[in-house]
Amino acid sequence: DSGVTQTPKHLITATGQRVTLRCSPRSGDLSVYWYQQSLDQGLQFLIQYYNGEERAKGNILERFSAQQFPDLHSELNLSSLELGDSALYFCASKAGYTDTQYFGPGTRLTVL
Amino acid sequence: GENVEQHPSTLSVQEGDSAVIKCTYSDSASNYFPWYKQELGKRPQLIIDIRSNVGEKKDQRIAVTLNKTAKHFSLHITETQPEDSAVYFCAASSPGGYSTLTFGKGTMLLVSP
């Protein structure tokens, strides 16, 4: 157990819908990273937050957004969902003084 | 941005053999190189990492080597066991702060008894 939690574990929805994925980092970690893992693209970095502020953006679509709240949990919002958005979504957290990222168990999103 | 290439995409070995997975990166400023192991349907788990000021690091049956000049790093697993079967990902930390990781596409390692 990495100490990073994610909910829900599984999410099945339809095209055009909107969903929210939740991540709670390890106690004391201020950085949260979101990744998308699909079969053909591997692990793709989406976005990073540090202590409530956006710090880095990767290959994140405009239909996707994220935020980090004062209690440091983070949410990834996916809207106007398409079939191609079906993937595993991981969040990871990191302490400020190390480089090591610890991954949560992931949320498997299926868009039908 | 950073680009990480990983080879091979699949690797089959017999139990007890050694396995080597290789990665190359494009940005010479990258300075942190972790390796993650991911079992089917599970989260990636860090197994070993190396920083650019170190050439080699070992942890029991696992070792990582780094060649900064050639911009490549490798994972070595000795005395492989069936429980080593998984997908292994290398990554490089993008320079410019915030420790964002660029991952290779993964190597599926299958260890046969």
Short mmCIF file of all heavy atoms in Angstrom, two decimals, chain B residues 2-72:
data_model
loop_
_atom_site.label_atom_id
_atom_site.label_comp_id
_atom_site.label_asym_id
_atom_site.label_seq_id
_atom_site.Cartn_x
_atom_site.Cartn_y
_atom_site.Cartn_z
N GLU B 2 11.15 15.99 -23.22
CA GLU B 2 11.88 14.73 -23.04
C GLU B 2 11.20 13.60 -23.81
O GLU B 2 9.97 13.56 -23.93
CB GLU B 2 11.95 14.41 -21.54
CG GLU B 2 12.59 13.08 -21.19
CD GLU B 2 14.07 13.03 -21.51
OE1 GLU B 2 14.40 12.75 -22.68
OE2 GLU B 2 14.89 13.26 -20.60
N ASN B 3 12.02 12.69 -24.33
CA ASN B 3 11.52 11.50 -25.00
C ASN B 3 12.29 10.30 -24.48
O ASN B 3 13.53 10.34 -24.43
CB ASN B 3 11.69 11.62 -26.52
CG ASN B 3 11.12 10.42 -27.25
OD1 ASN B 3 9.98 10.04 -27.02
ND2 ASN B 3 11.92 9.81 -28.10
N VAL B 4 11.58 9.26 -24.08
CA VAL B 4 12.23 8.06 -23.53
C VAL B 4 11.85 6.86 -24.39
O VAL B 4 10.66 6.59 -24.59
CB VAL B 4 11.80 7.83 -22.07
CG1 VAL B 4 12.42 6.54 -21.52
CG2 VAL B 4 12.22 9.01 -21.19
N GLU B 5 12.86 6.18 -24.89
CA GLU B 5 12.67 4.96 -25.67
C GLU B 5 13.08 3.76 -24.82
O GLU B 5 14.12 3.79 -24.15
CB GLU B 5 13.53 5.00 -26.94
CG GLU B 5 13.22 6.17 -27.87
CD GLU B 5 11.98 5.93 -28.69
OE1 GLU B 5 11.58 4.76 -28.83
OE2 GLU B 5 11.42 6.92 -29.21
N GLN B 6 12.28 2.69 -24.88
CA GLN B 6 12.54 1.52 -24.04
C GLN B 6 12.52 0.26 -24.91
O GLN B 6 11.63 0.08 -25.74
CB GLN B 6 11.46 1.43 -22.95
CG GLN B 6 11.64 0.28 -21.98
CD GLN B 6 10.68 0.34 -20.80
OE1 GLN B 6 10.02 1.37 -20.57
NE2 GLN B 6 10.61 -0.73 -20.05
N HIS B 7 13.49 -0.61 -24.65
CA HIS B 7 13.61 -1.87 -25.40
C HIS B 7 14.09 -3.00 -24.50
O HIS B 7 14.87 -2.75 -23.59
CB HIS B 7 14.62 -1.70 -26.55
CG HIS B 7 14.25 -0.65 -27.52
ND1 HIS B 7 13.34 -0.85 -28.52
CD2 HIS B 7 14.67 0.64 -27.63
CE1 HIS B 7 13.20 0.27 -29.21
NE2 HIS B 7 13.99 1.19 -28.69
N PRO B 8 13.66 -4.24 -24.72
CA PRO B 8 12.66 -4.62 -25.73
C PRO B 8 11.24 -4.38 -25.22
O PRO B 8 11.06 -4.06 -24.05
CB PRO B 8 12.93 -6.11 -25.91
CG PRO B 8 13.38 -6.54 -24.54
CD PRO B 8 14.15 -5.38 -23.97
N SER B 9 10.25 -4.57 -26.05
CA SER B 9 8.87 -4.41 -25.59
C SER B 9 8.41 -5.66 -24.86
O SER B 9 7.55 -5.58 -23.98
CB SER B 9 7.95 -4.11 -26.77
OG SER B 9 8.06 -5.12 -27.75
N THR B 10 8.96 -6.82 -25.22
CA THR B 10 8.68 -8.05 -24.49
C THR B 10 9.98 -8.82 -24.31
O THR B 10 10.88 -8.74 -25.16
CB THR B 10 7.66 -8.95 -25.23
OG1 THR B 10 8.18 -9.25 -26.53
CG2 THR B 10 6.33 -8.26 -25.37
N LEU B 11 10.07 -9.54 -23.20
CA LEU B 11 11.28 -10.29 -22.87
C LEU B 11 10.89 -11.56 -22.14
O LEU B 11 10.23 -11.50 -21.11
CB LEU B 11 12.21 -9.44 -22.00
CG LEU B 11 13.53 -10.02 -21.54
CD1 LEU B 11 14.39 -10.42 -22.74
CD2 LEU B 11 14.28 -9.01 -20.67
N SER B 12 11.26 -12.68 -22.71
CA SER B 12 10.97 -13.98 -22.08
C SER B 12 12.27 -14.63 -21.66
O SER B 12 13.20 -14.74 -22.47
CB SER B 12 10.23 -14.90 -23.07
OG SER B 12 8.95 -14.39 -23.37
N VAL B 13 12.34 -15.05 -20.41
CA VAL B 13 13.54 -15.71 -19.89
C VAL B 13 13.12 -16.92 -19.07
O VAL B 13 11.97 -17.05 -18.66
CB VAL B 13 14.39 -14.76 -19.01
CG1 VAL B 13 14.86 -13.55 -19.82
CG2 VAL B 13 13.62 -14.32 -17.78
N GLN B 14 14.10 -17.79 -18.84
CA GLN B 14 13.88 -18.93 -17.97
C GLN B 14 14.24 -18.54 -16.54
O GLN B 14 15.15 -17.71 -16.31
CB GLN B 14 14.76 -20.11 -18.40
CG GLN B 14 14.38 -20.70 -19.76
CD GLN B 14 13.06 -21.44 -19.72
OE1 GLN B 14 12.79 -22.20 -18.78
NE2 GLN B 14 12.24 -21.23 -20.72
N GLU B 15 13.55 -19.13 -15.59
CA GLU B 15 13.84 -18.88 -14.18
C GLU B 15 15.33 -19.09 -13.91
O GLU B 15 15.92 -20.08 -14.34
CB GLU B 15 13.01 -19.81 -13.31
CG GLU B 15 13.17 -19.60 -11.82
CD GLU B 15 12.25 -20.49 -11.01
OE1 GLU B 15 11.51 -21.29 -11.61
OE2 GLU B 15 12.29 -20.39 -9.77
N GLY B 16 15.92 -18.13 -13.21
CA GLY B 16 17.33 -18.21 -12.89
C GLY B 16 18.22 -17.43 -13.85
O GLY B 16 19.37 -17.12 -13.51
N ASP B 17 17.70 -17.12 -15.05
CA ASP B 17 18.46 -16.33 -16.01
C ASP B 17 18.47 -14.86 -15.58
O ASP B 17 17.72 -14.45 -14.68
CB ASP B 17 17.85 -16.43 -17.40
CG ASP B 17 18.08 -17.78 -18.04
OD1 ASP B 17 18.89 -18.58 -17.49
OD2 ASP B 17 17.45 -18.05 -19.08
N SER B 18 19.30 -14.07 -16.25
CA SER B 18 19.32 -12.62 -16.05
C SER B 18 18.47 -11.94 -17.12
O SER B 18 18.29 -12.47 -18.21
CB SER B 18 20.75 -12.09 -16.13
OG SER B 18 21.52 -12.58 -15.06
N ALA B 19 17.95 -10.79 -16.77
CA ALA B 19 17.16 -9.99 -17.72
C ALA B 19 17.70 -8.57 -17.73
O ALA B 19 18.05 -8.02 -16.68
CB ALA B 19 15.68 -9.99 -17.32
N VAL B 20 17.77 -7.99 -18.93
CA VAL B 20 18.26 -6.63 -19.08
C VAL B 20 17.26 -5.83 -19.92
O VAL B 20 16.87 -6.28 -21.00
CB VAL B 20 19.65 -6.58 -19.76
CG1 VAL B 20 20.11 -5.13 -19.89
CG2 VAL B 20 20.65 -7.40 -18.98
N ILE B 21 16.88 -4.68 -19.42
CA ILE B 21 15.98 -3.78 -20.13
C ILE B 21 16.70 -2.45 -20.30
O ILE B 21 17.30 -1.95 -19.34
CB ILE B 21 14.66 -3.57 -19.36
CG1 ILE B 21 13.97 -4.92 -19.12
CG2 ILE B 21 13.73 -2.63 -20.11
CD1 ILE B 21 12.79 -4.86 -18.16
N LYS B 22 16.64 -1.90 -21.52
CA LYS B 22 17.41 -0.69 -21.82
C LYS B 22 16.52 0.48 -22.18
O LYS B 22 15.49 0.31 -22.84
CB LYS B 22 18.38 -0.99 -22.97
CG LYS B 22 19.39 -2.07 -22.65
CD LYS B 22 20.34 -2.31 -23.79
CE LYS B 22 21.35 -3.39 -23.41
NZ LYS B 22 22.34 -3.63 -24.48
N CYS B 23 16.94 1.66 -21.76
CA CYS B 23 16.20 2.89 -22.08
C CYS B 23 17.17 3.97 -22.52
O CYS B 23 18.30 4.04 -22.01
CB CYS B 23 15.41 3.38 -20.88
SG CYS B 23 13.99 2.33 -20.48
N THR B 24 16.72 4.79 -23.45
CA THR B 24 17.48 5.98 -23.83
C THR B 24 16.61 7.20 -23.63
O THR B 24 15.38 7.12 -23.70
CB THR B 24 17.93 5.91 -25.30
OG1 THR B 24 16.76 5.82 -26.14
CG2 THR B 24 18.81 4.71 -25.56
N TYR B 25 17.24 8.32 -23.33
CA TYR B 25 16.49 9.55 -23.14
C TYR B 25 17.10 10.63 -24.01
O TYR B 25 18.23 10.51 -24.48
CB TYR B 25 16.47 9.96 -21.66
CG TYR B 25 17.82 10.20 -21.04
CD1 TYR B 25 18.34 11.48 -20.88
CD2 TYR B 25 18.59 9.13 -20.56
CE1 TYR B 25 19.57 11.70 -20.29
CE2 TYR B 25 19.82 9.34 -19.97
CZ TYR B 25 20.31 10.62 -19.82
OH TYR B 25 21.54 10.84 -19.24
N SER B 26 16.35 11.69 -24.23
CA SER B 26 16.78 12.68 -25.22
C SER B 26 17.38 13.93 -24.60
O SER B 26 18.24 14.57 -25.21
CB SER B 26 15.60 13.07 -26.13
OG SER B 26 14.54 13.63 -25.36
N ASP B 27 16.93 14.29 -23.40
CA ASP B 27 17.35 15.56 -22.82
C ASP B 27 18.51 15.35 -21.86
O ASP B 27 18.35 14.73 -20.80
CB ASP B 27 16.18 16.21 -22.11
CG ASP B 27 16.44 17.68 -21.79
OD1 ASP B 27 17.60 18.02 -21.47
OD2 ASP B 27 15.50 18.48 -21.87
N SER B 28 19.65 15.87 -22.20
CA SER B 28 20.84 15.68 -21.39
C SER B 28 20.74 16.33 -20.01
O SER B 28 21.52 16.05 -19.12
CB SER B 28 22.08 16.21 -22.12
OG SER B 28 21.90 17.57 -22.45
N ALA B 29 19.74 17.20 -19.82
CA ALA B 29 19.57 17.84 -18.51
C ALA B 29 18.77 16.98 -17.53
O ALA B 29 18.70 17.29 -16.35
CB ALA B 29 18.87 19.19 -18.68
N SER B 30 18.14 15.90 -18.00
CA SER B 30 17.40 15.02 -17.09
C SER B 30 18.34 14.46 -16.04
O SER B 30 19.49 14.10 -16.34
CB SER B 30 16.73 13.88 -17.86
OG SER B 30 15.66 14.36 -18.63
N ASN B 31 17.87 14.38 -14.79
CA ASN B 31 18.80 14.02 -13.71
C ASN B 31 18.28 12.96 -12.75
O ASN B 31 18.92 12.65 -11.75
CB ASN B 31 19.18 15.27 -12.91
CG ASN B 31 17.95 15.94 -12.31
OD1 ASN B 31 16.83 15.46 -12.46
ND2 ASN B 31 18.17 17.04 -11.63
N TYR B 32 17.11 12.39 -13.04
CA TYR B 32 16.55 11.38 -12.14
C TYR B 32 15.87 10.31 -12.99
O TYR B 32 15.07 10.63 -13.88
CB TYR B 32 15.56 12.03 -11.18
CG TYR B 32 14.81 11.06 -10.30
CD1 TYR B 32 15.47 10.31 -9.34
CD2 TYR B 32 13.44 10.89 -10.45
CE1 TYR B 32 14.79 9.41 -8.54
CE2 TYR B 32 12.75 9.99 -9.65
CZ TYR B 32 13.42 9.26 -8.71
OH TYR B 32 12.75 8.37 -7.91
N PHE B 33 16.20 9.02 -12.69
CA PHE B 33 15.76 7.94 -13.56
C PHE B 33 15.22 6.79 -12.70
O PHE B 33 15.97 5.94 -12.23
CB PHE B 33 16.92 7.45 -14.43
CG PHE B 33 17.59 8.58 -15.18
CD1 PHE B 33 18.67 9.24 -14.63
CD2 PHE B 33 17.11 8.98 -16.41
CE1 PHE B 33 19.28 10.29 -15.32
CE2 PHE B 33 17.71 10.03 -17.11
CZ PHE B 33 18.79 10.68 -16.55
N PRO B 34 13.90 6.73 -12.52
CA PRO B 34 13.31 5.63 -11.75
C PRO B 34 12.87 4.48 -12.63
O PRO B 34 12.62 4.66 -13.83
CB PRO B 34 12.10 6.31 -11.09
CG PRO B 34 11.68 7.33 -12.10
CD PRO B 34 12.93 7.79 -12.79
N TRP B 35 12.75 3.32 -12.03
CA TRP B 35 12.17 2.14 -12.68
C TRP B 35 10.97 1.69 -11.85
O TRP B 35 11.05 1.56 -10.64
CB TRP B 35 13.18 1.01 -12.76
CG TRP B 35 14.26 1.22 -13.79
CD1 TRP B 35 15.45 1.87 -13.62
CD2 TRP B 35 14.23 0.78 -15.14
NE1 TRP B 35 16.17 1.85 -14.79
CE2 TRP B 35 15.44 1.19 -15.74
CE3 TRP B 35 13.32 0.05 -15.92
CZ2 TRP B 35 15.75 0.91 -17.07
CZ3 TRP B 35 13.63 -0.22 -17.24
CH2 TRP B 35 14.84 0.20 -17.80
N TYR B 36 9.88 1.43 -12.56
CA TYR B 36 8.66 0.97 -11.90
C TYR B 36 8.27 -0.41 -12.42
O TYR B 36 8.45 -0.71 -13.60
CB TYR B 36 7.50 1.94 -12.17
CG TYR B 36 7.56 3.22 -11.38
CD1 TYR B 36 8.31 4.31 -11.82
CD2 TYR B 36 6.87 3.35 -10.18
CE1 TYR B 36 8.37 5.49 -11.10
CE2 TYR B 36 6.91 4.53 -9.45
CZ TYR B 36 7.66 5.59 -9.92
OH TYR B 36 7.70 6.76 -9.18
N LYS B 37 7.71 -1.20 -11.53
CA LYS B 37 7.18 -2.52 -11.88
C LYS B 37 5.67 -2.46 -11.74
O LYS B 37 5.15 -1.95 -10.74
CB LYS B 37 7.75 -3.58 -10.93
CG LYS B 37 7.16 -4.98 -11.08
CD LYS B 37 7.74 -5.91 -10.02
CE LYS B 37 7.19 -7.31 -10.14
NZ LYS B 37 7.72 -8.22 -9.07
N GLN B 38 4.97 -2.95 -12.75
CA GLN B 38 3.51 -2.92 -12.71
C GLN B 38 2.95 -4.30 -13.03
O GLN B 38 3.14 -4.81 -14.13
CB GLN B 38 2.94 -1.90 -13.68
CG GLN B 38 1.43 -1.72 -13.56
CD GLN B 38 0.87 -0.68 -14.51
OE1 GLN B 38 1.42 -0.43 -15.57
NE2 GLN B 38 -0.23 -0.06 -14.12
N GLU B 39 2.28 -4.88 -12.07
CA GLU B 39 1.59 -6.14 -12.30
C GLU B 39 0.22 -5.84 -12.88
O GLU B 39 -0.31 -4.73 -12.73
CB GLU B 39 1.51 -6.93 -10.99
CG GLU B 39 2.89 -7.31 -10.47
CD GLU B 39 2.86 -7.99 -9.12
OE1 GLU B 39 1.77 -8.11 -8.54
OE2 GLU B 39 3.92 -8.42 -8.67
N LEU B 40 -0.36 -6.83 -13.52
CA LEU B 40 -1.60 -6.64 -14.27
C LEU B 40 -2.70 -6.02 -13.41
O LEU B 40 -3.04 -6.57 -12.36
CB LEU B 40 -2.07 -7.97 -14.85
CG LEU B 40 -3.23 -7.89 -15.83
CD1 LEU B 40 -2.84 -7.07 -17.05
CD2 LEU B 40 -3.67 -9.29 -16.25
N GLY B 41 -3.20 -4.87 -13.85
CA GLY B 41 -4.30 -4.22 -13.14
C GLY B 41 -3.92 -3.52 -11.85
O GLY B 41 -4.78 -3.03 -11.13
N LYS B 42 -2.61 -3.49 -11.57
CA LYS B 42 -2.16 -2.87 -10.30
C LYS B 42 -1.45 -1.54 -10.57
O LYS B 42 -1.23 -1.15 -11.71
CB LYS B 42 -1.21 -3.83 -9.57
CG LYS B 42 -1.80 -5.17 -9.24
CD LYS B 42 -2.78 -5.07 -8.10
CE LYS B 42 -3.35 -6.41 -7.68
NZ LYS B 42 -2.30 -7.31 -7.13
N ARG B 43 -1.11 -0.88 -9.51
CA ARG B 43 -0.41 0.41 -9.63
C ARG B 43 1.07 0.19 -9.93
O ARG B 43 1.64 -0.83 -9.54
CB ARG B 43 -0.56 1.19 -8.32
CG ARG B 43 0.07 0.48 -7.14
CD ARG B 43 -0.18 1.25 -5.83
NE ARG B 43 0.33 0.51 -4.69
CZ ARG B 43 1.55 0.68 -4.20
NH1 ARG B 43 2.38 1.53 -4.75
NH2 ARG B 43 1.93 -0.04 -3.15
N PRO B 44 1.72 1.13 -10.61
CA PRO B 44 3.18 1.06 -10.77
C PRO B 44 3.84 1.22 -9.40
O PRO B 44 3.46 2.08 -8.61
CB PRO B 44 3.50 2.26 -11.67
CG PRO B 44 2.22 2.58 -12.35
CD PRO B 44 1.14 2.27 -11.35
N GLN B 45 4.85 0.37 -9.16
CA GLN B 45 5.58 0.42 -7.90
C GLN B 45 7.05 0.67 -8.18
O GLN B 45 7.65 -0.04 -9.00
CB GLN B 45 5.42 -0.88 -7.11
CG GLN B 45 4.03 -1.08 -6.54
CD GLN B 45 3.97 -2.31 -5.65
OE1 GLN B 45 3.78 -3.42 -6.14
NE2 GLN B 45 4.13 -2.11 -4.36
N LEU B 46 7.64 1.63 -7.50
CA LEU B 46 9.05 1.93 -7.67
C LEU B 46 9.89 0.76 -7.18
O LEU B 46 9.69 0.26 -6.06
CB LEU B 46 9.41 3.18 -6.87
CG LEU B 46 10.87 3.61 -6.95
CD1 LEU B 46 11.16 4.24 -8.30
CD2 LEU B 46 11.21 4.59 -5.83
N ILE B 47 10.83 0.30 -8.02
CA ILE B 47 11.71 -0.78 -7.58
C ILE B 47 13.14 -0.31 -7.38
O ILE B 47 13.87 -0.85 -6.53
CB ILE B 47 11.68 -1.97 -8.56
CG1 ILE B 47 12.04 -1.54 -9.98
CG2 ILE B 47 10.33 -2.68 -8.51
CD1 ILE B 47 12.22 -2.70 -10.94
N ILE B 48 13.57 0.68 -8.12
CA ILE B 48 14.90 1.23 -7.97
C ILE B 48 14.97 2.54 -8.74
O ILE B 48 14.21 2.74 -9.69
CB ILE B 48 15.98 0.23 -8.45
CG1 ILE B 48 17.37 0.61 -7.93
CG2 ILE B 48 15.98 0.11 -9.97
CD1 ILE B 48 18.42 -0.50 -8.09
N ASP B 49 15.85 3.43 -8.33
CA ASP B 49 16.04 4.68 -9.05
C ASP B 49 17.49 5.09 -8.97
O ASP B 49 18.26 4.58 -8.14
CB ASP B 49 15.11 5.78 -8.53
CG ASP B 49 15.28 6.02 -7.03
OD1 ASP B 49 16.22 5.49 -6.41
OD2 ASP B 49 14.44 6.75 -6.46
N ILE B 50 17.87 6.02 -9.84
CA ILE B 50 19.26 6.48 -9.87
C ILE B 50 19.27 7.95 -10.26
O ILE B 50 18.44 8.40 -11.06
CB ILE B 50 20.10 5.61 -10.84
CG1 ILE B 50 21.60 5.88 -10.65
CG2 ILE B 50 19.68 5.84 -12.29
CD1 ILE B 50 22.48 4.86 -11.36
N ARG B 51 20.20 8.67 -9.68
CA ARG B 51 20.36 10.07 -10.04
C ARG B 51 21.57 10.21 -10.96
O ARG B 51 22.44 9.34 -11.02
CB ARG B 51 20.52 10.93 -8.79
CG ARG B 51 19.29 10.93 -7.91
CD ARG B 51 19.35 12.05 -6.90
NE ARG B 51 19.36 13.36 -7.55
CZ ARG B 51 18.26 14.03 -7.89
NH1 ARG B 51 17.08 13.51 -7.65
NH2 ARG B 51 18.35 15.21 -8.47
N SER B 52 21.64 11.34 -11.62
CA SER B 52 22.65 11.50 -12.68
C SER B 52 24.07 11.60 -12.15
O SER B 52 25.02 11.49 -12.93
CB SER B 52 22.34 12.72 -13.54
OG SER B 52 22.28 13.88 -12.74
N ASN B 53 24.25 11.79 -10.85
CA ASN B 53 25.60 11.87 -10.30
C ASN B 53 26.13 10.50 -9.86
O ASN B 53 27.20 10.41 -9.27
CB ASN B 53 25.65 12.85 -9.13
CG ASN B 53 24.69 12.45 -8.00
OD1 ASN B 53 23.82 11.60 -8.18
ND2 ASN B 53 24.85 13.08 -6.85
N VAL B 54 25.37 9.45 -10.18
CA VAL B 54 25.75 8.09 -9.81
C VAL B 54 25.74 7.23 -11.07
O VAL B 54 24.84 7.35 -11.89
CB VAL B 54 24.77 7.50 -8.77
CG1 VAL B 54 25.10 6.05 -8.47
CG2 VAL B 54 24.80 8.34 -7.50
N GLY B 55 26.73 6.34 -11.21
CA GLY B 55 26.80 5.52 -12.42
C GLY B 55 26.09 4.18 -12.29
O GLY B 55 25.66 3.61 -13.28
N GLU B 56 25.99 3.70 -11.05
CA GLU B 56 25.38 2.38 -10.85
C GLU B 56 24.80 2.30 -9.45
O GLU B 56 25.33 2.90 -8.51
CB GLU B 56 26.43 1.28 -11.03
CG GLU B 56 25.88 -0.13 -10.91
CD GLU B 56 26.91 -1.19 -11.26
OE1 GLU B 56 28.04 -0.83 -11.65
OE2 GLU B 56 26.59 -2.39 -11.16
N LYS B 57 23.71 1.56 -9.34
CA LYS B 57 23.08 1.35 -8.03
C LYS B 57 22.53 -0.06 -7.99
O LYS B 57 21.99 -0.55 -8.98
CB LYS B 57 21.96 2.37 -7.83
CG LYS B 57 21.29 2.34 -6.47
CD LYS B 57 20.27 3.47 -6.37
CE LYS B 57 19.55 3.47 -5.06
NZ LYS B 57 18.54 4.56 -5.00
N LYS B 58 22.68 -0.71 -6.86
CA LYS B 58 22.26 -2.11 -6.75
C LYS B 58 21.41 -2.32 -5.51
O LYS B 58 21.68 -1.73 -4.46
CB LYS B 58 23.49 -3.01 -6.70
CG LYS B 58 23.18 -4.50 -6.83
CD LYS B 58 24.45 -5.31 -6.95
CE LYS B 58 24.14 -6.79 -7.12
NZ LYS B 58 25.35 -7.62 -7.23
N ASP B 59 20.40 -3.15 -5.63
CA ASP B 59 19.55 -3.52 -4.50
C ASP B 59 19.21 -4.99 -4.66
O ASP B 59 18.31 -5.36 -5.41
CB ASP B 59 18.29 -2.66 -4.47
CG ASP B 59 17.41 -2.97 -3.26
OD1 ASP B 59 17.81 -3.79 -2.41
OD2 ASP B 59 16.32 -2.38 -3.17
N GLN B 60 19.94 -5.83 -3.97
CA GLN B 60 19.77 -7.29 -4.01
C GLN B 60 19.89 -7.78 -5.45
O GLN B 60 20.98 -7.67 -6.04
CB GLN B 60 18.46 -7.68 -3.35
CG GLN B 60 18.39 -7.25 -1.88
CD GLN B 60 17.11 -7.69 -1.19
OE1 GLN B 60 16.08 -7.94 -1.79
NE2 GLN B 60 17.20 -7.81 0.12
N ARG B 61 18.84 -8.32 -6.04
CA ARG B 61 18.94 -8.89 -7.40
C ARG B 61 18.75 -7.85 -8.50
O ARG B 61 18.82 -8.18 -9.68
CB ARG B 61 17.89 -9.99 -7.57
CG ARG B 61 18.05 -11.18 -6.64
CD ARG B 61 17.07 -12.28 -6.99
NE ARG B 61 15.68 -11.87 -6.79
CZ ARG B 61 14.82 -11.65 -7.79
NH1 ARG B 61 15.19 -11.77 -9.05
NH2 ARG B 61 13.57 -11.29 -7.52
N ILE B 62 18.51 -6.61 -8.12
CA ILE B 62 18.22 -5.58 -9.11
C ILE B 62 19.33 -4.54 -9.12
O ILE B 62 19.82 -4.14 -8.06
CB ILE B 62 16.87 -4.89 -8.77
CG1 ILE B 62 15.72 -5.89 -8.92
CG2 ILE B 62 16.63 -3.68 -9.66
CD1 ILE B 62 14.40 -5.36 -8.45
N ALA B 63 19.72 -4.12 -10.31
CA ALA B 63 20.72 -3.08 -10.45
C ALA B 63 20.34 -2.17 -11.61
O ALA B 63 19.65 -2.59 -12.55
CB ALA B 63 22.10 -3.67 -10.69
N VAL B 64 20.75 -0.93 -11.52
CA VAL B 64 20.55 0.03 -12.60
C VAL B 64 21.88 0.69 -12.92
O VAL B 64 22.66 1.00 -12.01
CB VAL B 64 19.47 1.07 -12.25
CG1 VAL B 64 19.82 1.82 -10.99
CG2 VAL B 64 19.24 2.03 -13.40
N THR B 65 22.17 0.85 -14.21
CA THR B 65 23.38 1.53 -14.65
C THR B 65 22.98 2.73 -15.49
O THR B 65 21.95 2.71 -16.18
CB THR B 65 24.28 0.59 -15.46
OG1 THR B 65 23.56 0.10 -16.59
CG2 THR B 65 24.75 -0.58 -14.62
N LEU B 66 23.78 3.76 -15.43
CA LEU B 66 23.50 4.99 -16.16
C LEU B 66 24.74 5.44 -16.91
O LEU B 66 25.83 5.52 -16.33
CB LEU B 66 23.05 6.09 -15.19
CG LEU B 66 22.91 7.51 -15.74
CD1 LEU B 66 21.80 7.58 -16.78
CD2 LEU B 66 22.67 8.50 -14.62
N ASN B 67 24.58 5.73 -18.19
CA ASN B 67 25.65 6.29 -19.00
C ASN B 67 25.17 7.65 -19.49
O ASN B 67 24.41 7.75 -20.45
CB ASN B 67 25.96 5.36 -20.18
CG ASN B 67 27.11 5.85 -21.03
OD1 ASN B 67 27.31 7.06 -21.21
ND2 ASN B 67 27.90 4.94 -21.57
N LYS B 68 25.61 8.70 -18.82
CA LYS B 68 25.15 10.05 -19.16
C LYS B 68 25.62 10.49 -20.54
O LYS B 68 24.91 11.20 -21.24
CB LYS B 68 25.61 11.05 -18.10
CG LYS B 68 24.88 10.96 -16.79
CD LYS B 68 25.22 12.14 -15.90
CE LYS B 68 26.68 12.16 -15.54
NZ LYS B 68 27.03 13.28 -14.64
N THR B 69 26.81 10.08 -20.92
CA THR B 69 27.36 10.50 -22.20
C THR B 69 26.50 9.96 -23.35
O THR B 69 26.17 10.67 -24.29
CB THR B 69 28.80 10.00 -22.37
OG1 THR B 69 29.58 10.50 -21.28
CG2 THR B 69 29.39 10.45 -23.69
N ALA B 70 26.14 8.70 -23.23
CA ALA B 70 25.33 8.07 -24.26
C ALA B 70 23.84 8.30 -24.03
O ALA B 70 23.02 7.93 -24.88
CB ALA B 70 25.62 6.57 -24.31
N LYS B 71 23.48 8.84 -22.89
CA LYS B 71 22.09 9.08 -22.52
C LYS B 71 21.28 7.79 -22.54
O LYS B 71 20.20 7.72 -23.16
CB LYS B 71 21.46 10.17 -23.39
CG LYS B 71 22.04 11.55 -23.12
CD LYS B 71 21.29 12.66 -23.84
CE LYS B 71 21.65 12.67 -25.30
NZ LYS B 71 21.08 13.82 -26.02
N HIS B 72 21.82 6.78 -21.88
CA HIS B 72 21.02 5.58 -21.71
C HIS B 72 21.23 4.98 -20.33
O HIS B 72 22.25 5.19 -19.68
CB HIS B 72 21.24 4.57 -22.84
CG HIS B 72 22.57 3.90 -22.88
ND1 HIS B 72 22.99 2.96 -21.95
CD2 HIS B 72 23.58 4.00 -23.77
CE1 HIS B 72 24.20 2.53 -22.26
NE2 HIS B 72 24.57 3.15 -23.35
#
